Amino acid sequence: MGMLAKMVKICCIGAGYVGGPTMAVIALKCPSIEVVVVDISATRIAAWNSDQLPIYEPELEDVVKQCRGRNLFFSTDVEKHICDADIIFVSVNTPTKTRGLGAGKAADLTYWESAARMIADVSKSDKIVVEKSTVPVKTAEAIEKILTHNSKGINYQILSNPEFLAEGTAIQDLFNPDRVLIGGRETQEGRKAVQALKEVYANWVPEDRIITTNLWSAELSKLAANAFLAQRISSVNAISALCEATGANVSEVAYAVGKDSRIGPKFLNASVGFGGSCFQKDILNLVYICECNGLPEVANYWKQVIKINDYQKSRFVNRVVSSMFNTVSGKKIAVLGFAFKKDTGDTRETPAIDVCKGLLGDKAKISIYDPQVSEDQIQRDLAMNKFDWDHPIHLQPMSPTAVKEVTMTWDAYEAAKGAHGVCILTEWDEFKKLDYAKIFQNMQKPAFIFDGRNVVDPEKLREIGFIVYSIGKPLDPWLKDMPAVV
């Protein structure tokens, strides 16, 4: 317990989706610990200190407001707070490399490395350095090498403490985690460091949910967990294509399959595809690590999860185009929902990007409504190349051409006015409650609805007069005559 004799100081480098919420909850649950989140971005830190936080997450604002200025601080004085801290969390970005060795698969550890060098430069006392972002296996080892080669007699213990937050429920996930994973070196100092971090979490997490492992196991568990989750989605999406071809109903199939207690019901919703900042990135990483370790069969197995996801998105676009007499050129299409899932404003890797790009490629005019996503975010997403989203904003290209065929609206009715078709791409609760009869009246006929999230009741919409395509559901007679050319 030696650590806790004086007030423990925690510093987190990186004020993003992981660092912000995690540190806010640690501050709330551990009033005796001083928590400072640092970032080189002055605008981001200013937002964390304002009434308009830089990210939207249910309940986050309450937590921040309870602790901010008490034992939770947000600062751009990176060096001072690293110097003062006992425990340093590093939750900087690990984007996928866009060029060079391992481009499109390997993680780019540039930000990680500069964080490690900064720690080595300014530290005057022993530190526990905690890797707190989805990073590939062996990052900890690389960081450890940088710190020990620049140690100036200071002892560093490296821990891996991967996060398992789901956006939209991050605060609840932090309050009540399934497990907290702490990986460390199997040495006496390593075990002491693991214990020190365990004591922080033990303030609110039951002991039996705090799992301690070696460094590699902790790092790989994170990649494996995301790969397994994404695999479930690709499995049900693959079955959804077969359901459409045979007249089965994927919701019924998924329900029956999920009733098997060994399988369980979660993550079995067929959809237009998975998104989010981690699934694809982590699987590509896993693939890369397998390839580097001479395991091509394993690499190809996991690659297939992403291939099915890409197939699902292009299949959806093909359905839209082929249903509408094989052309959407000049037609207005409403897109309801742009975030990768409900209750978040996050658009990273959202399937909506590929669907919109596919429709724009056929010269459609797109009108988008999403309750949480801003217009410039959507314009940026549609102008970007793959993986650019994960790099700093000033490096992100803006192509002026893509921009003009897309408009944003303030509500779903406005988006659908005069449209030939409506694509539902995010499962926001409000889309279940829309007055579809009103939407139908204001659309061009025949009026189409393409439900990429199984939000609506196809039968009710058909009674109104819509031609409905719902993923994995028996096809509308209209669609049966229109082969989905892939």
Side-chain angles (χ1 to χ4, degrees):
M1 292 294 280
M3 279 288 299
L4 298 180
K6 64 174 180 30
M7 183 166 177
V8 174
K9 290 191 170 173
I10 290 178
C11 171
C12 173
I13 306 175
Y17 269 100
V18 176
T22 306
M23 293 304 120
V25 169
I26 288 178
L28 181 72
K29 299 290 190 181
C30 313
S32 65
I33 295 179
E34 181 189 282
V35 181
V36 184
V37 182
V38 297
D39 201 294
I40 52 175
S41 163
T43 47
R44 176 159 266 193
I45 291 297
W48 279 108
N49 282 319
S50 74
D51 286 338
Q52 193 60 55
L53 301 185
I55 61 177
Y56 168 73
E57 191 62 56
E59 300 173 71
L60 174 62
E61 207 174 328
D62 297 346
V63 175
V64 170
K65 285 187 171 156
Q66 281 178 66
C67 312
R68 197 169 55 189
R70 187 191 73 193
N71 66 329
L72 173 65
F73 304 92
F74 297 93
S75 167
T76 50
D77 193 344
V78 181
E79 300 189 7
K80 175 193 186 308
H81 294 292
I82 288 177
C83 184
D84 293 349
D86 305 299
I87 302 176
I88 300 169
F89 284 85
V90 184
S91 81
V92 297
N93 223 349
T94 48
T96 305
K97 286 180 77 170
T98 50
R99 52 178 69 91
L101 191 63
K105 282 189 289 228
D108 180 343
L109 300 180
T110 314
Y111 308 109
W112 251 101
E113 187 173 330
S114 55
R117 290 186 185 278
M118 163 87 76
I119 293 169
D121 285 346
V122 306
S123 294
K124 296 182 179 64
S125 56
D126 293 354
K127 306 283 185 211
I128 295 173
V129 178
V130 185
E131 174 198 298
K132 183 79 184 152
S133 46
T134 47
V135 272
V137 176
K138 305 243 187 259
T139 314
E141 193 172 43
I143 304 309
E144 197 170 51
K145 282 182 183 145
I146 292 170
L147 291 172
T148 48
H149 282 284
N150 294 283
S151 69
K152 302 179 288 218
I154 291 167
N155 285 310
Y156 296 102
Q157 281 302 319
I158 314 296
L159 301 179
S160 173
N161 172 218
E163 54 85 18
F164 295 99
L165 304 180
E167 283 176 43
T169 56
I171 299 298
Q172 283 309 315
D173 294 344
L174 285 162
F175 282 172
N176 188 21
D178 286 343
R179 77 295 205 194
V180 169
L181 199 51
I182 305 173
R185 285 272 180 224
E186 288 158 320
T187 59
Q188 199 183 348
E189 292 80 21
R191 286 191 200 97
K192 255 166 65 182
V194 167
Q195 187 54 33
L197 184 56
K198 193 173 174 177
E199 283 170 17
V200 171
Y201 282 109
N203 278 292
W204 80 96
V205 180
E207 198 89 1
D208 60 348
R209 291 197 191 173
I210 304 176
I211 305 171
T212 57
T213 66
N214 73 30
L215 270 176
W216 314 149
S217 299
E219 294 189 311
L220 191 53
S221 298
K222 172 66 200 183
L223 295 183
N226 274 346
F228 276 49
L229 288 168
Q231 182 192 43
R232 282 177 75 102
I233 297 173
S234 281
S235 296
V236 78
N237 281 344
I239 295 294
S240 78
L242 185 59
C243 287
E244 288 167 30
T246 56
N249 179 332
V250 74
S251 301
E252 293 175 350
V253 174
Y255 180 77
V257 168
K259 273 297 186 200
D260 184 322
S261 60
R262 294 163 304 177
I263 297 173
K266 292 186 176 153
F267 268 68
L268 290 181
N269 294 323
S271 71
V272 63
F274 59 74
S277 60
C278 290
F279 282 1
Q280 176 155 314
K281 184 162 89 173
D282 286 359
I283 294 172
L284 289 169
N285 239 311
L286 193 58
V287 165
Y288 184 68
I289 293 165
C290 292
E291 287 172 349
C292 292
N293 284 290
L295 302 170
E297 292 80 4
V298 183
N300 289 335
Y301 176 75
W302 289 110
K303 255 186 215 163
Q304 204 54 41
V305 172
I306 291 177
K307 282 190 180 156
I308 286 283
N309 197 50
D310 289 339
Y311 163 75
Q312 190 75 344
K313 290 184 282 195
S314 61
R315 209 166 70 76
F316 187 86
V317 172
N318 288 335
R319 277 282 184 217
V320 174
V321 178
S322 68
S323 311
M324 295 191 183
F325 315 106
N326 233 355
T327 175
V328 289
S329 180
K331 293 178 182 171
K332 177 175 173 181
I333 301 204
V335 167
L336 301 188
F338 197 84
F340 81 91
K341 65 175 183 186
K342 72 174 186 177
D343 297 337
T344 173
D346 194 348
T347 61
R348 295 180 292 181
E349 294 287 340
T350 172
I353 293 173
D354 284 343
V355 170
C356 289
K357 281 183 173 175
L359 295 171
L360 288 169
D362 202 43
K363 306 207 172 41
K365 295 201 175 339
I366 297 181
S367 183
I368 301 173
Y369 165 67
D370 187 289
Q372 282 294 337
V373 182
S374 70
E375 176 156 20
D376 58 325
Q377 181 61 52
I378 288 176
Q379 297 289 13
R380 257 210 310 274
D381 287 335
L382 293 176
M384 270 189 256
N385 297 320
K386 229 171 172 29
F387 304 122
D388 281 343
W389 56 268
D390 218 352
H391 294 264
I393 270 174
H394 61 272
L395 298 178
Q396 295 173 5
M398 266 300 272
S399 92
T401 45
V403 173
K404 57 183 181 301
E405 296 308 327
V406 179
T407 52
M408 282 286 292
T409 60
W410 57 91
D411 74 359
Y413 300 105
E414 191 57 36
K417 192 176 285 176
H420 287 259
V422 172
C423 297
I424 303 175
L425 299 184
T426 311
E427 71 285 14
W428 287 101
D429 290 335
E430 62 187 78
F431 298 159
K432 290 189 173 75
K433 307 184 189 93
L434 293 172
D435 179 349
Y436 284 98
K438 175 176 159 187
I439 288 177
F440 181 76
Q441 279 168 0
N442 290 323
M443 282 175 67
Q444 304 277 354
K445 308 295 179 293
F448 296 87
I449 286 209
F450 303 94
D451 185 357
R453 295 283 178 174
N454 285 332
V455 167
V456 298
D457 177 342
E459 288 316 312
K460 282 193 180 133
L461 292 189
R462 285 182 188 125
E463 281 163 24
I464 294 172
F466 284 106
I467 292 161
V468 184
Y469 166 63
S470 194
I471 286 182
K473 301 284 172 70
L475 292 180
D476 209 293
W478 178 286
L479 300 164
K480 283 203 180 109
D481 310 333
M482 306 264 172
V485 234
V486 174

